[in-house]
Structures are given as C-alpha cells and as structure tokens.
Amino acid sequence: MAAFDVARIRQDFPLLARKERGHVLAYLDSAASSQKPQCVIDTIAHYYREQHANIHRGVYRLSEEATAAYESSRKSVASFLHAPDARGVIFVRGATEAINLVADSWGRAHLKPNDEILLTAMEHHANIVPWQVAAERAGARVVVCPITASGEVDMAAFVKLLSPRTRMASFVHVSNALGTVNPVVEMTRLAKAVGATVLIDACQSASHFDVDVTALGCDFLCFSGHKVCGPTGIGVLWGRPELLDQMPPYQTGGDMIQKVDFAGTTYRPAPERFEAGTPHISGAIALAVALDYVAKLRPDAHTYEQHLLARATEKLRAIPGLRIVGEASEKVSVISFLIDGAHHHDVGMLLDADAVAVRVGHHCCMPLMKVLGIPGTVRASFAFYNTEEEVDRLATSLVKVRAMTSR
Ligand code: PLP
C-alpha cells in the first residue's frame, strides 16, 4: 500500500498524536465519530474570528458574506451527493434529526391507516423509533425485513414483504454494527416498483465511498457531518425538491416563512421551509471543507481502508475463541466481534488499557442484537488515517485479553 501516504495524512489530524499511557492512541472508533483534519478546525476558528454574523437577514456586508459562505456550502454538499439541485439539501443536526424530519413531516402528509413502512433488521435506532412514532400516529405498521446468517439483507424476504401497502422503505446503506454494504440500488428499484417512497440512511457510507443520489434513485438520503471529518451538530437531509415542497414544516419560526399574520402563516419552499431559526452556520461551512477533504482522497482512501479491513480480519480470525459478527461479502472497514468467556465491556476496557479505543455495546441496534442472540459486540472501525501498526496493536492486545480471560 505504498501509494497511500497515511503518515502524511495523519499529520492533518492533530488529535491522532495524542498519547495515553506512553502509547500514541490507536483511535479505532471512526464509525461512531471521525477525527477532524486541521483544515476543518481552522475553518471554524476563522469563521468566528472573521466571518460571523447571522445569515439571510442582514443588509450589511458581513452578514451577506456569511450568507454566501453558508449557501455555497449547500452547493458543495449537493455536488458531494451528485444532486442536480442544491434546493434539495437541508442542513439539520445530523442523521437522527433528518429521519425524524421525514418521519414526522412526510409521515403526516402521506401515511394512512394500514400503510406499511419497511425497514430492515439491521437499522440504527435512529431509523426505527421515528417510524414507530409515525406509524402509531397514522395507524400504519412497521414491517421488518430479516437478515441472513452472514449479516446481509435477505433479499428474497425483502421482495416478498414489498406490496402496494408499502408506503415507505427506509434502510441503511452500510450497517454501523456489522459493516455490511447493502445492495441499495436494487433495494430502491424494487421498492419504487411497488410505489414506495425510499429513504437511505447513508451515515456509514458517506464516510467511505462516493454516494450518488441520482444513481441511487432514492427520494431521501441523510448523513451526519461528524462521521465524515466534519463538526458535530451538523448533518444533511437530501430530498427531491418536489417532494419537500409538498411536505408540511417540521419546525416553525423565523427564516422558514413567507408571510406571518395572526390570521394565518405561509411557508417558503425547500430548503428554507425546513431550516427554522438560526442554523449551525459555522458547522455547515466547515462541513463543506470536510467533504472536500475526504472527496480529494477518493478512491485511494477506500482501497486503503479495505486493505486494513482484510489485514484485521485475517489477524482476528487467527485468535482462538474470537468470533467475528457480520461476515457479509461486501463490507466497509468495520469489524464487530466477541471473545468466548469475556464480556464485551471488559474487552473494551482491557483494550483501553493498551490505548486502543474501540466501541462496545449494542451500537444503537438493539433489535439487531436480539436477532443475533447476543447482548452486544466489540467494534473496531478503521478510517483512512489508521495504520497497519494500529491493526496489529489491536490484534496483539486481543491475544493478551484472550489469555487473561480464558484462564
Ligand atoms: N444511522 C446510522 C447507520 C448510524 O451509524 C448513526 C450513528 O451512529 C446514526 C444513524 C445516527 O447518527 P447521529 O447520532 O449523528 O444523528
């Protein structure tokens, strides 16, 4: 992997130099949140030092400049997603808010009694609970597509569960708990063929490879900025503008109205309709910088991450008593696993003692864990800034953990 200069890339990420207990921290939790390159950190500082004013309302130059920077970020996000029209890009707090927005607003406009909302068994809670609430309000039903033993969507079941009653199909592009890459082009095509509206949760794909809403053919797609090297508190809902314009507001207040009168209020079209109040201006501006940063590293970064995944998979498979959870044929650089006789929390704490940071637990996928018959897993997730040496440190540390816990 000489072509990908990870040592140089790591210099862009100040936090990766952090030391713990005499070791440089091995940060293997990028699926939860990625670290931030200096250009993103600098953009935020520069914004508050030199650019800040409230947007959209000012007639003075500073406010116009801040507005232009914010709106230019919207265009950058549209181009990152290959969306033909930046009007479809709504800035939200993250994927959670994006799905709540669609479930609430689209749900109120379209869901009727006995309609079905098709999800998969590997969804994050953020793509389950908003639909349960919307279904309950409308008298509709949540239907769950099962997964196979290797952790892939059971496509035969998916086809069977689709029907003219399916009003919405909402599924994850890449599973945060298993790393599985779902065949979302095919899933979207099948769902659209029965007349369903399709939402794709791209939270774990946008950070790894190109996401193209035009090629995917979906109606809505969302992701969180903090998983793609951007700030926390900013994310994106993309929707077809013609669909968004027909949806009732999710939140109301300033900036999203055409005219307010005590006799009645009218609303602006998308995207303003869904951005009530002062938005996360610095977050949106820094997000565009983050997306530009990751896009420039593609596709080599993904090839490199796949190399790390293959190395980690091989090393972990060689550890007796370690079981990898999720062996889909197409995966991103995420490995969930369990060690016989060791609680996943204890494994996480023992790895922490060696300055190896992983995530443990249900990964906000309690229904998936129930299907798998396990309480949770240990999850190591690799980004393009991780190294072979960090993969090896994980494996060495796990061999120690295994020796300690199998006594
Ligand atoms: N969907 C998936 C697949 C995720 O991995 C996550 C976060 O882990 C979310 C949704 C929710 O993202 P956020 O907490 O940034 O809103």
Side-chain angles (χ1 to χ4, degrees), residues 31-32 94-97 99 124 126 172 174 176 201 203-204 224 226-227:
T96 300
E97 186 172 47
I99 301 171
H124 188 281
V172 76
V174 169
N176 62 306
D201 173 357
C203 237
Q204 297 290 342
S224 293
H226 69 95
K227 294 186 198 281

Side-chain angles (χ1 to χ4, degrees), residues 332-371:
V332 297
S333 43
V334 166
I335 303 193
S336 262
F337 58 90
L338 287 168
I339 295 185
D340 281 351
H343 193 277
H344 49 277
H345 274 264
D346 294 340
V347 177
M349 282 165 68
L350 290 167
L351 290 175
D352 180 52
D354 285 343
V356 175
V358 295
R359 185 135 303 234
V360 297
H362 52 63
H363 315 296
C364 294
C365 294
M366 284 169 100
L368 172 65
M369 297 301 143
K370 190 172 167 191
V371 165

Side-chain angles (χ1 to χ4, degrees), residues 135-390:
E136 198 176 333
R137 186 173 45 220
R141 246 171 20 106
V142 168
V143 174
V144 185
C145 178
I147 57 167
T148 64
S150 58
E152 294 170 322
V153 171
D154 180 337
M155 287 302 286
F158 188 78
V159 171
K160 270 202 195 133
L161 289 168
L162 284 168
S163 80
R165 282 190 305 277
T166 316
R167 191 73 48 223
M168 165 62 74
S170 187
F171 40 80
V172 76
H173 197 169
V174 169
S175 159
N176 62 306
L178 306 174
T180 309
V181 180
N182 285 323
V184 287
V185 172
E186 179 64 356
M187 290 166 79
T188 301
R189 193 187 64 74
L190 290 164
K192 302 282 297 176
V194 298
T197 298
V198 172
L199 183 151
I200 297 179
D201 173 357
C203 237
Q204 297 290 342
S205 50
S207 52
H208 292 290
F209 51 79
D210 196 40
V211 171
D212 180 334
V213 290
T214 307
L216 290 170
C218 55
D219 299 295
F220 299 105
L221 181 138
C222 64
F223 69 92
S224 293
H226 69 95
K227 294 186 198 281
V228 200
C229 295
T232 54
I234 188 79
V236 171
L237 168 66
W238 172 82
R240 291 187 189 281
E242 65 276 16
L243 260 181
L244 292 168
D245 285 343
Q246 290 163 13
M247 286 160 45
Y250 174 56
Q251 291 184 343
T252 53
D255 233 23
M256 51 78 69
I257 48 84
Q258 238 151 19
K259 184 159 184 276
V260 179
D261 189 293
F262 283 116
T265 293
T266 51
Y267 311 117
R268 296 173 75 182
E272 291 83 6
R273 169 178 301 214
F274 297 104
E275 292 183 6
T278 301
H280 187 358
I281 308 167
S282 64
I285 295 170
L287 174 63
V289 172
L291 298 182
D292 184 51
Y293 180 90
V294 298
K296 282 198 175 118
L297 296 177
R298 289 176 177 171
D300 296 353
H302 183 56
T303 310
Y304 174 72
E305 287 172 352
Q306 288 291 305
H307 164 72
L308 294 182
L309 173 68
R311 186 180 180 103
T313 306
E314 192 188 321
K315 293 207 171 245
L316 266 56
R317 271 195 190 134
I319 299 174
L322 186 148
R323 175 163 72 91
I324 293 178
V325 180
E327 301 250 32
S329 58
E330 207 186 329
K331 282 179 68 173
V332 297
S333 43
V334 166
I335 303 193
S336 262
F337 58 90
L338 287 168
I339 295 185
D340 281 351
H343 193 277
H344 49 277
H345 274 264
D346 294 340
V347 177
M349 282 165 68
L350 290 167
L351 290 175
D352 180 52
D354 285 343
V356 175
V358 295
R359 185 135 303 234
V360 297
H362 52 63
H363 315 296
C364 294
C365 294
M366 284 169 100
L368 172 65
M369 297 301 143
K370 190 172 167 191
V371 165
L372 296 172
I374 53 179
T377 70
V378 185
R379 182 188 72 186
S381 54
F382 307 96
F384 54 79
Y385 46 65
N386 289 120
T387 62
E388 289 180 349
E389 191 240 331
E390 288 175 317

